[in-house]
Structure formats: structure tokens, C-alpha cells
Amino acid sequence: MVNCSICGRPAVYVNRISGQAYCKKHFLEYFDKKVRRTIRKYKMFSSREHIVVAVSGGKDSLSLLHYLYNLSKRVPGWKITALLIDEGIGGYRDITKKDFLRVVNELGVNYKIASFKEYLGYTLDEIVRIGREKGLPYLPCSYCGVFRRYLLNKVARDLGGTVLATAHNLDDVIQTYVMNIINNSWDKILRLAPVTGPLDHPKFVRRAKPFYEILEKETTLYSILNNLYPKFVECPYARFNIRWMIRRQLNELEEKYPGTKYSLLRSLLRIISILSKHRDEIIQGEIKTCKVCGEPSAHEICRACLYRYELGIMREDERKIVEEVLGKKKK
């Protein structure tokens, strides 16, 4: 058995890079210092903020909510609100929503649940079925990602949030980095900065990733030690996503070559620094306002509204606006 490098008690965690071992008490202190250092390093929050925490009900987001709520007790100018997007995935989101409600009620945190059904008129399960019936080429994760980001920004703004905190940990960030390299999506790599917005558009809510330099195994252990770890339920659409293959391969590399993940993060930060100097070439034009919904968009019609149009789930007046814009483009 490995003992804590600080006090000699049984260790619950060993940092394979530094060789330091930590008991429960000293791991929680290590975790706290690491997250606070990340927040300070990237200037994520000011002394007065309404932080809307994006919570799915999974281990990482529950840990982030728990951590920021407790940290807010030391920052009188902070207000914390939890936001869950209910996509309407049968046998999945209804289960994780219970863990979300358990934790927000235990903490006494204000919260909002916004559903695809409420804002779009359809659940993700219904959207995927419609897309397949129409022969559309999109994977379930494409619909989910676009509509989730759309609602997170819109609802966080409606709640009066000054910043949207997401639970993306180091593993999540570098997995997405590798995916975007594979897809040659350099514009999306810019979004992987620790803090993004709101310079591009007045309706963008600034986003921050407090777990940016925290390994997934560290957030997992934090959730376990604080009785937050939920019953594992995998999204039924996960098998369609390349992320899971990349995740496994990166974990294997880290196991064989400790420090690989941190090296990739440093690479990402360097790339973001370089890309930022050529932002106009990469983004190709200023961020616009969608002519249908009024939300920020890279084009005259945002991706969410374009999906709704192709799926046939938008109002007639909205459909005419899309066709008018698309008609002008064809000319």
C-alpha cells in the first residue's frame, strides 16, 4: 500500500508525473489548489459574477457544481445557478436528471432544467428518428451538440448569467483537439481556449472551463470522495462518436508515457496562440446574427435553425426566411 507523501496515511491518489501520493485530506487540498490556480491563471472569473454551471448529472459536471458552490462561499460577489439541458434521450437523461436533482437539492442551489421538447418542440430521440426517415446525413451527436450549445448559450443569457462554466476536463479538451485536427477544423480549435467570448457577439455568454488542467481521473476521484459519483449510464448514441476511440488511445499512451496528456494540452495552447493571430483568416468574417432566431451565428442562418429547417420542425414563417436566404445564395 502506498502512503501519503505528506502525512503518511494510506494514499487514495498518486500523481505519476511528480510521484507525490495523497491521502483523502491532502488530495482534496491538492485538487482545490490546482483548480484555483487554473481559475487565476486564465482569469476566468471576476469578484462579481453570476456563474451558470452547465450540469448534465454526470460525475464531472456534478463535481464542478459542488466545487464552485463551495468556492462561492468565499466570494460574496458570486451567484451560482445550475443549468441542465434535457435532450430527451430515453433511458439516459431521465436517469442522470435524478442525480442532478439530488445534488442541487442537497446543496440548495438555484437551478433550471431546459428541454429540447420545450424549446424545439421535439426530443432528441424524435429528432434522430425524423432525420433518419428523411435520409439526412447527420449523426445523433451532431444534432445533440448543436442544439445543446444553442440552448446553453440562450438559456444562460436568459437567466442573467455573466459566465457559463462547463465541466470540460483536460481529457475532454485534448480529445476534442485531436478530433478537430483529424477533421481539419481549425476554427473549432480556437473554441478550445480555457475562456471564450464574448468579444465575437453581444449575445454570446462568456464560457470558462475551470477543470481545464484537471485530469479526468482527478475529477472522478473528487466526485467519489464527495459522494457525488452517479451510477454509470452511457448515452445510447455514444457508439456513433469517434471520441470514444480517441479517448481509449490517449489513455493507453498516458499509461505507457506519463505526461502525454499535459504535453498535448501545451501543444493546444501553443496552437491557439498562433491561430489567434490569424483569426480573421480562419473564422472568415465577423460573427453574424441568425435571421431566423436572432442568436449568434457564423452565417446568416445558424446551424440550429438550418437543422430545424432540414428536419421540417420549424414554423412556416421561419421556413420562408430560410428559403429566402438560401434562394439569394443560389442566385
Side-chain angles (χ1 to χ4, degrees):
M1 178 180 288
V2 178
N3 293 324
C4 177
S5 302
I6 300 171
C7 68
R9 294 192 186 97
V12 297
Y13 180 71
V14 178
N15 184 321
R16 294 186 64 212
I17 298 174
S18 68
Q20 286 284 103
Y22 301 96
C23 64
K24 176 181 177 179
K25 176 180 180 292
H26 289 113
F27 169 78
L28 292 174
E29 289 180 359
Y30 157 83
F31 186 92
D32 176 50
K33 289 178 182 177
K34 195 172 180 182
V35 179
R36 283 192 290 114
R37 184 173 65 242
T38 301
I39 291 172
R40 288 195 306 270
K41 180 179 179 180
Y42 299 110
K43 300 177 182 178
M44 293 184 175
F45 308 121
S46 67
S47 59
R48 298 192 65 81
E49 296 280 12
H50 180 181
I51 305 172
V52 177
V53 185
V55 186
S56 66
K59 58 181 173 53
D60 296 315
S61 61
L62 290 176
S63 294
L64 179 63
L65 177 63
H66 181 274
Y67 180 83
L68 289 179
Y69 172 74
N70 284 298
L71 185 60
S72 72
K73 295 176 182 178
R74 293 181 257 171
V75 189
W78 282 10
K79 176 183 177 181
I80 304 290
T81 301
L83 170 60
L84 181 140
I85 303 298
D86 181 359
E87 307 91 345
I89 304 173
Y92 174 66
R93 184 57 69 213
D94 48 335
I95 295 174
T96 63
K97 190 158 56 173
K98 292 178 181 177
D99 290 303
F100 168 81
L101 291 171
R102 173 179 63 85
V103 173
V104 295
N105 287 324
E106 287 176 357
L107 296 175
V109 178
N110 292 327
Y111 70 90
K112 165 77 175 178
I113 297 177
S115 69
F116 277 25
K117 189 75 172 181
E118 175 188 359
Y119 284 85
L120 304 173
Y122 296 83
T123 66
L124 180 64
D125 288 341
E126 291 169 335
I127 287 169
V128 170
R129 176 180 55 78
I130 293 169
R132 286 170 176 166
E133 289 173 353
K134 288 182 173 288
L136 297 177
Y138 311 113
L139 295 174
C141 294
S142 297
Y143 294 122
C144 187
V146 167
F147 289 135
R148 270 183 57 82
R149 286 191 294 273
Y150 177 87
L151 288 183
L152 281 171
N153 187 74
K154 177 178 174 57
V155 179
R157 189 180 68 244
D158 291 345
L159 288 170
T162 57
V163 57
L164 176 67
T166 63
H168 295 95
N169 57 47
L170 188 153
D171 292 63
D172 297 324
V173 172
I174 63 170
Q175 288 161 18
T176 307
Y177 174 38
V178 173
M179 288 167 61
N180 287 333
I181 290 175
I182 291 171
N183 293 324
N184 196 33
S185 300
W186 297 98
D187 57 325
K188 293 181 181 178
I189 288 176
L190 278 172
R191 300 178 199 164
L192 295 176
V195 180
T196 55
L199 300 176
D200 298 313
H201 196 284
K203 285 191 174 183
F204 263 140
V205 177
R206 186 174 86 257
R207 294 194 178 196
K209 307 178 184 73
F211 288 168
Y212 196 77
E213 295 189 357
I214 314 300
L215 293 167
E216 181 179 21
K217 62 182 180 180
E218 293 174 340
T219 61
T220 299
L221 182 55
Y222 180 90
S223 71
I224 293 171
L225 296 178
N226 286 288
N227 195 31
L228 301 168
Y229 194 82
K231 177 182 177 183
F232 177 73
V233 185
E234 185 174 66
C235 175
Y237 299 117
R239 66 183 185 277
F240 298 107
N241 198 324
I242 191 176
R243 177 183 296 275
W244 305 105
M245 182 182 297
I246 291 173
R247 177 186 182 184
R248 185 180 67 249
Q249 292 172 340
L250 288 176
N251 284 340
E252 289 174 357
L253 280 170
E254 180 68 25
E255 181 65 26
K256 190 171 183 179
Y257 307 106
T260 295
K261 292 179 179 180
Y262 285 107
S263 293
L264 277 169
L265 184 67
R266 289 192 294 271
S267 165
L268 169 61
L269 289 168
R270 177 61 177 150
I271 289 293
I272 288 174
S273 176
I274 294 170
L275 293 180
S276 297
K277 297 174 184 176
H278 303 277
R279 188 179 182 83
D280 291 340
E281 298 173 37
I282 297 165
I283 301 298
Q284 296 182 342
E286 63 182 18
I287 299 297
K288 301 176 176 63
T289 297
C290 176
K291 291 185 177 295
V292 176
C293 66
E295 292 296 309
S297 172
H299 307 283
E300 289 182 284
I301 305 297
C302 73
R303 177 62 62 180
C305 286
L306 187 60
Y307 275 173
R308 291 196 300 124
Y309 172 75
E310 294 179 338
L311 288 161
I313 60 172
M314 61 169 31
R315 299 193 312 266
E316 179 65 18
D317 59 319
E318 294 176 324
R319 185 180 64 79
K320 287 181 179 179
I321 294 173
V322 176
E323 290 179 345
E324 181 181 348
V325 171
L326 294 178
K328 286 181 180 179
K329 287 185 177 181
K330 289 178 181 177
K331 292 177 183 179

